[in-house]
Amino acid sequence: MSAGAPEDAAGGSEQLEELQELLNETVKFVEEAGKNLSIHPVANMVGAFVVGIMIGRLLGRRQEL
């Protein structure tokens, strides 16, 4: 069992690095979204409305089945 421990530790380290990279990219995305929202508020509202309609239709179809 101890032979697998170093492999698990290395895998855990890689996962932590991937999670850190994902977190960094998420922070960048949220920062950019905030900038875009202040620059183009109407476009973002229309986009959110369209996404809401699409989700509603998908959920409606799911209930019909």
Side-chain angles (χ1 to χ4, degrees):
M1 282 191 179
S2 61
E7 292 176 9
D8 291 341
S13 177
E14 289 176 12
Q15 287 178 344
L16 286 175
E17 289 176 10
E18 289 178 8
L19 286 175
Q20 185 64 40
E21 184 178 339
L22 179 62
L23 180 60
N24 290 339
E25 292 297 321
T26 303
V27 168
K28 287 179 190 176
F29 177 78
V30 170
E31 288 173 353
E32 288 295 318
K35 291 176 188 176
N36 290 335
L37 181 60
S38 63
I39 295 171
H40 306 288
V42 175
N44 284 306
M45 288 176 54
V46 170
F49 183 72
V50 170
V51 169
I53 290 172
M54 291 171 56
I55 290 172
R57 287 183 180 233
L58 288 172
L59 290 175
R61 288 184 186 162
R62 186 180 220 184
Q63 292 175 355
E64 291 175 2
L65 297 177

Short mmCIF file of all heavy atoms in Angstrom, two decimals:
data_model
loop_
_atom_site.label_atom_id
_atom_site.label_comp_id
_atom_site.label_asym_id
_atom_site.label_seq_id
_atom_site.Cartn_x
_atom_site.Cartn_y
_atom_site.Cartn_z
N MET A 1 0.81 -1.19 0.00
CA MET A 1 0.00 0.00 0.00
C MET A 1 0.85 1.26 0.00
O MET A 1 0.47 2.26 -0.55
CB MET A 1 -0.92 0.02 1.23
CG MET A 1 -2.10 -0.86 1.08
SD MET A 1 -3.25 -0.51 2.39
CE MET A 1 -4.49 -1.64 1.95
N SER A 2 2.01 1.21 0.61
CA SER A 2 2.84 2.40 0.67
C SER A 2 3.42 2.75 -0.69
O SER A 2 3.81 3.87 -0.93
CB SER A 2 3.97 2.22 1.69
OG SER A 2 4.79 1.12 1.29
N ALA A 3 3.47 1.78 -1.62
CA ALA A 3 4.00 2.06 -2.96
C ALA A 3 3.07 2.98 -3.73
O ALA A 3 3.50 3.77 -4.55
CB ALA A 3 4.21 0.76 -3.72
N GLY A 4 1.78 2.91 -3.46
CA GLY A 4 0.82 3.76 -4.15
C GLY A 4 0.73 5.16 -3.58
O GLY A 4 0.23 6.06 -4.21
N ALA A 5 1.23 5.36 -2.38
CA ALA A 5 1.12 6.65 -1.72
C ALA A 5 1.83 7.78 -2.48
O ALA A 5 1.25 8.84 -2.67
CB ALA A 5 1.63 6.57 -0.29
N PRO A 6 3.06 7.58 -2.97
CA PRO A 6 3.71 8.66 -3.73
C PRO A 6 2.96 9.00 -5.01
O PRO A 6 2.86 10.15 -5.39
CB PRO A 6 5.10 8.12 -4.04
CG PRO A 6 5.36 7.10 -3.00
CD PRO A 6 4.01 6.50 -2.70
N GLU A 7 2.40 7.98 -5.68
CA GLU A 7 1.63 8.24 -6.89
C GLU A 7 0.38 9.05 -6.56
O GLU A 7 0.02 9.96 -7.29
CB GLU A 7 1.25 6.92 -7.56
CG GLU A 7 2.43 6.18 -8.14
CD GLU A 7 2.03 4.84 -8.71
OE1 GLU A 7 0.82 4.57 -8.82
OE2 GLU A 7 2.93 4.05 -9.06
N ASP A 8 -0.28 8.73 -5.45
CA ASP A 8 -1.47 9.47 -5.04
C ASP A 8 -1.11 10.90 -4.69
O ASP A 8 -1.83 11.83 -5.01
CB ASP A 8 -2.14 8.79 -3.84
CG ASP A 8 -2.77 7.45 -4.21
OD1 ASP A 8 -3.00 7.22 -5.42
OD2 ASP A 8 -3.01 6.65 -3.30
N ALA A 9 0.02 11.09 -4.04
CA ALA A 9 0.46 12.44 -3.68
C ALA A 9 0.76 13.25 -4.92
O ALA A 9 0.42 14.42 -5.01
CB ALA A 9 1.68 12.38 -2.78
N ALA A 10 1.38 12.64 -5.92
CA ALA A 10 1.68 13.35 -7.16
C ALA A 10 0.39 13.69 -7.90
O ALA A 10 0.24 14.77 -8.43
CB ALA A 10 2.59 12.50 -8.04
N GLY A 11 -0.54 12.76 -7.91
CA GLY A 11 -1.83 13.00 -8.55
C GLY A 11 -2.59 14.10 -7.84
O GLY A 11 -3.22 14.94 -8.47
N GLY A 12 -2.50 14.11 -6.53
CA GLY A 12 -3.17 15.15 -5.75
C GLY A 12 -2.56 16.51 -6.01
O GLY A 12 -3.26 17.52 -6.09
N SER A 13 -1.25 16.55 -6.18
CA SER A 13 -0.56 17.80 -6.48
C SER A 13 -0.99 18.33 -7.84
O SER A 13 -1.22 19.52 -8.01
CB SER A 13 0.94 17.57 -6.44
OG SER A 13 1.63 18.75 -6.78
N GLU A 14 -1.09 17.43 -8.81
CA GLU A 14 -1.53 17.84 -10.15
C GLU A 14 -2.96 18.36 -10.10
O GLU A 14 -3.28 19.36 -10.76
CB GLU A 14 -1.44 16.67 -11.11
CG GLU A 14 -0.02 16.28 -11.47
CD GLU A 14 0.03 15.05 -12.36
OE1 GLU A 14 -1.03 14.63 -12.88
OE2 GLU A 14 1.13 14.50 -12.53
N GLN A 15 -3.81 17.71 -9.33
CA GLN A 15 -5.19 18.16 -9.21
C GLN A 15 -5.26 19.53 -8.56
O GLN A 15 -6.05 20.37 -8.99
CB GLN A 15 -6.01 17.15 -8.41
CG GLN A 15 -6.31 15.88 -9.17
CD GLN A 15 -7.08 14.88 -8.34
OE1 GLN A 15 -7.16 15.00 -7.12
NE2 GLN A 15 -7.66 13.90 -8.99
N LEU A 16 -4.44 19.76 -7.55
CA LEU A 16 -4.43 21.06 -6.91
C LEU A 16 -3.98 22.15 -7.88
O LEU A 16 -4.54 23.25 -7.90
CB LEU A 16 -3.53 21.05 -5.67
CG LEU A 16 -4.08 20.32 -4.45
CD1 LEU A 16 -3.03 20.27 -3.35
CD2 LEU A 16 -5.35 20.98 -3.95
N GLU A 17 -2.98 21.84 -8.69
CA GLU A 17 -2.50 22.81 -9.69
C GLU A 17 -3.60 23.11 -10.71
O GLU A 17 -3.81 24.27 -11.08
CB GLU A 17 -1.26 22.27 -10.40
CG GLU A 17 -0.02 22.25 -9.53
CD GLU A 17 1.17 21.64 -10.23
OE1 GLU A 17 1.10 21.39 -11.46
OE2 GLU A 17 2.18 21.39 -9.55
N GLU A 18 -4.32 22.08 -11.15
CA GLU A 18 -5.41 22.27 -12.10
C GLU A 18 -6.53 23.09 -11.48
O GLU A 18 -7.09 23.98 -12.13
CB GLU A 18 -5.93 20.93 -12.58
CG GLU A 18 -4.97 20.20 -13.50
CD GLU A 18 -5.49 18.85 -13.93
OE1 GLU A 18 -6.66 18.52 -13.64
OE2 GLU A 18 -4.72 18.11 -14.56
N LEU A 19 -6.86 22.82 -10.22
CA LEU A 19 -7.90 23.59 -9.54
C LEU A 19 -7.48 25.05 -9.37
O LEU A 19 -8.30 25.95 -9.54
CB LEU A 19 -8.22 22.96 -8.18
CG LEU A 19 -9.02 21.67 -8.22
CD1 LEU A 19 -9.15 21.09 -6.82
CD2 LEU A 19 -10.39 21.91 -8.82
N GLN A 20 -6.21 25.29 -9.07
CA GLN A 20 -5.72 26.65 -8.93
C GLN A 20 -5.82 27.39 -10.26
O GLN A 20 -6.23 28.55 -10.30
CB GLN A 20 -4.27 26.65 -8.42
CG GLN A 20 -3.73 28.03 -8.14
CD GLN A 20 -4.46 28.73 -7.02
OE1 GLN A 20 -4.82 28.11 -6.02
NE2 GLN A 20 -4.70 30.00 -7.17
N GLU A 21 -5.45 26.70 -11.34
CA GLU A 21 -5.54 27.32 -12.67
C GLU A 21 -7.00 27.62 -13.03
O GLU A 21 -7.31 28.70 -13.55
CB GLU A 21 -4.93 26.38 -13.71
CG GLU A 21 -4.90 26.97 -15.10
CD GLU A 21 -4.25 26.04 -16.11
OE1 GLU A 21 -3.49 25.15 -15.71
OE2 GLU A 21 -4.51 26.25 -17.30
N LEU A 22 -7.89 26.69 -12.72
CA LEU A 22 -9.31 26.91 -12.97
C LEU A 22 -9.83 28.09 -12.17
O LEU A 22 -10.58 28.92 -12.68
CB LEU A 22 -10.10 25.64 -12.62
CG LEU A 22 -11.61 25.73 -12.80
CD1 LEU A 22 -11.97 25.99 -14.25
CD2 LEU A 22 -12.27 24.47 -12.29
N LEU A 23 -9.42 28.19 -10.92
CA LEU A 23 -9.83 29.31 -10.07
C LEU A 23 -9.33 30.63 -10.63
O LEU A 23 -10.08 31.62 -10.69
CB LEU A 23 -9.32 29.11 -8.64
CG LEU A 23 -9.68 30.19 -7.64
CD1 LEU A 23 -11.19 30.32 -7.49
CD2 LEU A 23 -9.04 29.90 -6.30
N ASN A 24 -8.08 30.67 -11.08
CA ASN A 24 -7.51 31.89 -11.66
C ASN A 24 -8.28 32.30 -12.91
O ASN A 24 -8.58 33.48 -13.11
CB ASN A 24 -6.03 31.69 -11.99
CG ASN A 24 -5.18 31.59 -10.75
OD1 ASN A 24 -5.55 32.02 -9.67
ND2 ASN A 24 -4.01 30.99 -10.90
N GLU A 25 -8.60 31.34 -13.77
CA GLU A 25 -9.34 31.64 -14.99
C GLU A 25 -10.75 32.12 -14.66
O GLU A 25 -11.28 33.01 -15.31
CB GLU A 25 -9.40 30.41 -15.90
CG GLU A 25 -8.07 30.04 -16.50
CD GLU A 25 -7.50 31.13 -17.40
OE1 GLU A 25 -8.26 31.76 -18.15
OE2 GLU A 25 -6.27 31.34 -17.34
N THR A 26 -11.36 31.54 -13.63
CA THR A 26 -12.70 31.96 -13.22
C THR A 26 -12.68 33.39 -12.72
O THR A 26 -13.56 34.20 -13.05
CB THR A 26 -13.25 31.02 -12.13
OG1 THR A 26 -13.24 29.68 -12.63
CG2 THR A 26 -14.65 31.40 -11.72
N VAL A 27 -11.67 33.74 -11.95
CA VAL A 27 -11.54 35.12 -11.44
C VAL A 27 -11.38 36.09 -12.60
O VAL A 27 -12.04 37.14 -12.64
CB VAL A 27 -10.37 35.22 -10.44
CG1 VAL A 27 -10.03 36.67 -10.14
CG2 VAL A 27 -10.68 34.46 -9.17
N LYS A 28 -10.55 35.74 -13.57
CA LYS A 28 -10.37 36.60 -14.74
C LYS A 28 -11.69 36.77 -15.49
O LYS A 28 -12.03 37.87 -15.93
CB LYS A 28 -9.32 36.00 -15.69
CG LYS A 28 -7.91 36.10 -15.21
CD LYS A 28 -6.96 35.47 -16.22
CE LYS A 28 -5.57 35.31 -15.68
NZ LYS A 28 -4.68 34.62 -16.64
N PHE A 29 -12.42 35.67 -15.65
CA PHE A 29 -13.70 35.71 -16.37
C PHE A 29 -14.69 36.63 -15.66
O PHE A 29 -15.37 37.44 -16.30
CB PHE A 29 -14.28 34.30 -16.50
CG PHE A 29 -15.62 34.26 -17.16
CD1 PHE A 29 -15.72 34.37 -18.54
CD2 PHE A 29 -16.78 34.13 -16.41
CE1 PHE A 29 -16.95 34.34 -19.15
CE2 PHE A 29 -18.01 34.10 -17.02
CZ PHE A 29 -18.11 34.20 -18.40
N VAL A 30 -14.79 36.52 -14.35
CA VAL A 30 -15.72 37.35 -13.58
C VAL A 30 -15.33 38.82 -13.66
O VAL A 30 -16.20 39.69 -13.81
CB VAL A 30 -15.80 36.86 -12.11
CG1 VAL A 30 -16.56 37.84 -11.25
CG2 VAL A 30 -16.43 35.47 -12.05
N GLU A 31 -14.04 39.10 -13.61
CA GLU A 31 -13.59 40.49 -13.73
C GLU A 31 -13.96 41.06 -15.09
O GLU A 31 -14.44 42.18 -15.19
CB GLU A 31 -12.09 40.58 -13.49
CG GLU A 31 -11.68 40.37 -12.05
CD GLU A 31 -10.17 40.30 -11.86
OE1 GLU A 31 -9.42 40.29 -12.88
OE2 GLU A 31 -9.73 40.26 -10.70
N GLU A 32 -13.73 40.29 -16.15
CA GLU A 32 -14.07 40.75 -17.50
C GLU A 32 -15.57 40.91 -17.65
O GLU A 32 -16.04 41.84 -18.29
CB GLU A 32 -13.54 39.77 -18.55
CG GLU A 32 -12.04 39.80 -18.70
CD GLU A 32 -11.53 41.13 -19.24
OE1 GLU A 32 -12.14 41.69 -20.15
OE2 GLU A 32 -10.51 41.61 -18.71
N ALA A 33 -16.34 40.00 -17.07
CA ALA A 33 -17.79 40.10 -17.16
C ALA A 33 -18.28 41.37 -16.48
O ALA A 33 -19.20 42.04 -16.98
CB ALA A 33 -18.45 38.86 -16.53
N GLY A 34 -17.69 41.73 -15.37
CA GLY A 34 -18.06 42.97 -14.68
C GLY A 34 -17.78 44.19 -15.53
O GLY A 34 -18.58 45.12 -15.60
N LYS A 35 -16.64 44.19 -16.21
CA LYS A 35 -16.30 45.31 -17.10
C LYS A 35 -17.29 45.39 -18.26
O LYS A 35 -17.76 46.47 -18.61
CB LYS A 35 -14.87 45.15 -17.64
CG LYS A 35 -13.80 45.33 -16.60
CD LYS A 35 -12.43 45.06 -17.22
CE LYS A 35 -11.35 45.05 -16.15
NZ LYS A 35 -10.03 44.70 -16.73
N ASN A 36 -17.57 44.24 -18.87
CA ASN A 36 -18.49 44.22 -20.01
C ASN A 36 -19.90 44.62 -19.60
O ASN A 36 -20.61 45.26 -20.36
CB ASN A 36 -18.51 42.84 -20.66
CG ASN A 36 -17.22 42.53 -21.39
OD1 ASN A 36 -16.52 43.43 -21.81
ND2 ASN A 36 -16.92 41.25 -21.52
N LEU A 37 -20.31 44.25 -18.41
CA LEU A 37 -21.65 44.60 -17.95
C LEU A 37 -21.79 46.10 -17.80
O LEU A 37 -22.81 46.67 -18.18
CB LEU A 37 -21.94 43.91 -16.60
CG LEU A 37 -23.32 44.16 -16.00
CD1 LEU A 37 -24.40 43.67 -16.97
CD2 LEU A 37 -23.45 43.45 -14.68
N SER A 38 -20.76 46.76 -17.29
CA SER A 38 -20.85 48.21 -17.12
C SER A 38 -20.77 48.93 -18.46
O SER A 38 -21.32 50.01 -18.63
CB SER A 38 -19.75 48.70 -16.18
OG SER A 38 -18.48 48.45 -16.73
N ILE A 39 -20.11 48.33 -19.45
CA ILE A 39 -19.98 48.96 -20.76
C ILE A 39 -21.22 48.71 -21.63
O ILE A 39 -21.68 49.60 -22.32
CB ILE A 39 -18.71 48.45 -21.48
CG1 ILE A 39 -17.47 48.89 -20.69
CG2 ILE A 39 -18.64 48.95 -22.90
CD1 ILE A 39 -16.19 48.26 -21.19
N HIS A 40 -21.76 47.52 -21.58
CA HIS A 40 -22.89 47.14 -22.44
C HIS A 40 -24.04 46.56 -21.62
O HIS A 40 -24.39 45.39 -21.77
CB HIS A 40 -22.45 46.10 -23.47
CG HIS A 40 -21.27 46.50 -24.29
ND1 HIS A 40 -21.34 47.45 -25.26
CD2 HIS A 40 -19.99 46.07 -24.28
CE1 HIS A 40 -20.15 47.60 -25.82
NE2 HIS A 40 -19.31 46.77 -25.23
N PRO A 41 -24.70 47.34 -20.76
CA PRO A 41 -25.74 46.77 -19.90
C PRO A 41 -26.96 46.25 -20.65
O PRO A 41 -27.50 45.20 -20.31
CB PRO A 41 -26.10 47.92 -18.97
CG PRO A 41 -25.67 49.14 -19.67
CD PRO A 41 -24.51 48.76 -20.53
N VAL A 42 -27.38 46.94 -21.71
CA VAL A 42 -28.57 46.50 -22.45
C VAL A 42 -28.30 45.19 -23.17
O VAL A 42 -29.14 44.28 -23.16
CB VAL A 42 -29.03 47.60 -23.44
CG1 VAL A 42 -30.18 47.12 -24.29
CG2 VAL A 42 -29.42 48.87 -22.68
N ALA A 43 -27.14 45.07 -23.79
CA ALA A 43 -26.80 43.83 -24.49
C ALA A 43 -26.77 42.65 -23.52
O ALA A 43 -27.22 41.55 -23.86
CB ALA A 43 -25.46 43.98 -25.19
N ASN A 44 -26.26 42.87 -22.33
CA ASN A 44 -26.22 41.79 -21.34
C ASN A 44 -27.62 41.42 -20.86
O ASN A 44 -27.91 40.25 -20.64
CB ASN A 44 -25.35 42.20 -20.16
CG ASN A 44 -23.88 42.11 -20.50
OD1 ASN A 44 -23.42 41.08 -20.95
ND2 ASN A 44 -23.16 43.19 -20.29
N MET A 45 -28.49 42.41 -20.73
CA MET A 45 -29.87 42.12 -20.31
C MET A 45 -30.59 41.30 -21.39
O MET A 45 -31.30 40.35 -21.08
CB MET A 45 -30.63 43.41 -20.02
CG MET A 45 -30.19 44.08 -18.74
SD MET A 45 -31.01 45.67 -18.46
CE MET A 45 -32.71 45.23 -18.57
N VAL A 46 -30.40 41.69 -22.66
CA VAL A 46 -31.03 40.95 -23.75
C VAL A 46 -30.48 39.53 -23.80
O VAL A 46 -31.23 38.56 -23.97
CB VAL A 46 -30.81 41.69 -25.09
CG1 VAL A 46 -31.23 40.82 -26.27
CG2 VAL A 46 -31.55 43.01 -25.09
N GLY A 47 -29.17 39.37 -23.65
CA GLY A 47 -28.57 38.04 -23.65
C GLY A 47 -29.10 37.17 -22.52
O GLY A 47 -29.42 36.00 -22.72
N ALA A 48 -29.23 37.75 -21.34
CA ALA A 48 -29.76 37.00 -20.20
C ALA A 48 -31.21 36.61 -20.45
O ALA A 48 -31.64 35.50 -20.11
CB ALA A 48 -29.65 37.84 -18.93
N PHE A 49 -31.97 37.49 -21.07
CA PHE A 49 -33.37 37.21 -21.38
C PHE A 49 -33.47 36.03 -22.36
O PHE A 49 -34.26 35.11 -22.17
CB PHE A 49 -34.03 38.46 -21.97
CG PHE A 49 -35.49 38.30 -22.26
CD1 PHE A 49 -36.41 38.24 -21.23
CD2 PHE A 49 -35.94 38.23 -23.57
CE1 PHE A 49 -37.75 38.10 -21.49
CE2 PHE A 49 -37.28 38.08 -23.84
CZ PHE A 49 -38.20 38.01 -22.80
N VAL A 50 -32.65 36.04 -23.40
CA VAL A 50 -32.65 34.97 -24.40
C VAL A 50 -32.25 33.64 -23.76
O VAL A 50 -32.86 32.61 -24.01
CB VAL A 50 -31.73 35.33 -25.58
CG1 VAL A 50 -31.52 34.14 -26.50
CG2 VAL A 50 -32.30 36.51 -26.35
N VAL A 51 -31.23 33.67 -22.93
CA VAL A 51 -30.81 32.45 -22.23
C VAL A 51 -31.94 31.94 -21.35
O VAL A 51 -32.20 30.73 -21.29
CB VAL A 51 -29.51 32.69 -21.42
CG1 VAL A 51 -29.23 31.52 -20.50
CG2 VAL A 51 -28.35 32.94 -22.36
N GLY A 52 -32.63 32.83 -20.67
CA GLY A 52 -33.76 32.43 -19.83
C GLY A 52 -34.86 31.77 -20.64
O GLY A 52 -35.45 30.77 -20.21
N ILE A 53 -35.15 32.32 -21.81
CA ILE A 53 -36.17 31.72 -22.68
C ILE A 53 -35.74 30.32 -23.11
O ILE A 53 -36.54 29.37 -23.10
CB ILE A 53 -36.43 32.62 -23.91
CG1 ILE A 53 -37.16 33.89 -23.47
CG2 ILE A 53 -37.23 31.88 -24.98
CD1 ILE A 53 -37.30 34.92 -24.56
N MET A 54 -34.48 30.19 -23.50
CA MET A 54 -33.98 28.89 -23.94
C MET A 54 -34.06 27.86 -22.81
O MET A 54 -34.50 26.72 -23.03
CB MET A 54 -32.54 29.01 -24.43
CG MET A 54 -32.42 29.79 -25.72
SD MET A 54 -30.73 30.18 -26.21
CE MET A 54 -29.98 28.58 -26.25
N ILE A 55 -33.67 28.24 -21.62
CA ILE A 55 -33.73 27.32 -20.47
C ILE A 55 -35.18 26.94 -20.19
O ILE A 55 -35.49 25.78 -19.94
CB ILE A 55 -33.06 27.94 -19.24
CG1 ILE A 55 -31.55 28.02 -19.46
CG2 ILE A 55 -33.37 27.15 -17.97
CD1 ILE A 55 -30.80 28.80 -18.40
N GLY A 56 -36.07 27.93 -20.24
CA GLY A 56 -37.49 27.66 -20.01
C GLY A 56 -38.05 26.67 -21.01
O GLY A 56 -38.80 25.76 -20.65
N ARG A 57 -37.69 26.85 -22.26
CA ARG A 57 -38.18 25.93 -23.30
C ARG A 57 -37.61 24.53 -23.10
O ARG A 57 -38.31 23.54 -23.28
CB ARG A 57 -37.84 26.45 -24.68
CG ARG A 57 -38.70 27.63 -25.07
CD ARG A 57 -38.39 28.08 -26.46
NE ARG A 57 -39.24 29.21 -26.79
CZ ARG A 57 -40.01 29.27 -27.86
NH1 ARG A 57 -40.02 28.27 -28.71
NH2 ARG A 57 -40.76 30.32 -28.07
N LEU A 58 -36.33 24.44 -22.76
CA LEU A 58 -35.73 23.13 -22.53
C LEU A 58 -36.39 22.43 -21.35
O LEU A 58 -36.66 21.23 -21.40
CB LEU A 58 -34.24 23.26 -22.30
CG LEU A 58 -33.41 23.61 -23.54
CD1 LEU A 58 -31.96 23.90 -23.13
CD2 LEU A 58 -33.45 22.49 -24.56
N LEU A 59 -36.66 23.17 -20.29
CA LEU A 59 -37.31 22.57 -19.13
C LEU A 59 -38.75 22.19 -19.45
O LEU A 59 -39.25 21.17 -18.98
CB LEU A 59 -37.26 23.51 -17.93
CG LEU A 59 -35.87 23.72 -17.31
CD1 LEU A 59 -35.95 24.77 -16.20
CD2 LEU A 59 -35.32 22.42 -16.77
N GLY A 60 -39.41 22.99 -20.26
CA GLY A 60 -40.78 22.68 -20.67
C GLY A 60 -40.84 21.40 -21.47
O GLY A 60 -41.73 20.57 -21.28
N ARG A 61 -39.92 21.21 -22.37
CA ARG A 61 -39.86 19.99 -23.17
C ARG A 61 -39.57 18.78 -22.31
O ARG A 61 -40.09 17.70 -22.52
CB ARG A 61 -38.79 20.10 -24.25
CG ARG A 61 -39.17 21.02 -25.35
CD ARG A 61 -38.12 21.01 -26.42
NE ARG A 61 -38.43 22.03 -27.41
CZ ARG A 61 -37.57 22.51 -28.27
NH1 ARG A 61 -36.33 22.07 -28.25
NH2 ARG A 61 -37.92 23.43 -29.13
N ARG A 62 -38.74 18.98 -21.32
CA ARG A 62 -38.37 17.87 -20.42
C ARG A 62 -39.59 17.39 -19.66
O ARG A 62 -39.78 16.21 -19.44
CB ARG A 62 -37.28 18.34 -19.46
CG ARG A 62 -36.74 17.26 -18.60
CD ARG A 62 -35.70 17.82 -17.70
NE ARG A 62 -34.60 16.90 -17.59
CZ ARG A 62 -33.58 17.08 -16.82
NH1 ARG A 62 -33.46 18.19 -16.12
NH2 ARG A 62 -32.63 16.20 -16.74
N GLN A 63 -40.46 18.30 -19.23
CA GLN A 63 -41.65 17.94 -18.47
C GLN A 63 -42.69 17.26 -19.34
O GLN A 63 -43.48 16.46 -18.87
CB GLN A 63 -42.24 19.17 -17.79
CG GLN A 63 -41.35 19.71 -16.69
CD GLN A 63 -41.89 21.02 -16.11
OE1 GLN A 63 -42.86 21.57 -16.59
NE2 GLN A 63 -41.22 21.50 -15.09
N GLU A 64 -42.70 17.59 -20.65
CA GLU A 64 -43.66 16.97 -21.56
C GLU A 64 -43.35 15.50 -21.79
O GLU A 64 -44.22 14.72 -22.07
CB GLU A 64 -43.66 17.72 -22.89
CG GLU A 64 -44.25 19.11 -22.80
CD GLU A 64 -44.12 19.87 -24.11
OE1 GLU A 64 -43.61 19.29 -25.09
OE2 GLU A 64 -44.50 21.04 -24.13
N LEU A 65 -42.10 15.15 -21.71
CA LEU A 65 -41.70 13.75 -21.96
C LEU A 65 -42.13 12.94 -20.82
O LEU A 65 -42.56 12.11 -20.45
CB LEU A 65 -40.19 13.64 -22.13
CG LEU A 65 -39.60 14.40 -23.32
CD1 LEU A 65 -38.09 14.27 -23.31
CD2 LEU A 65 -40.13 13.84 -24.62
#
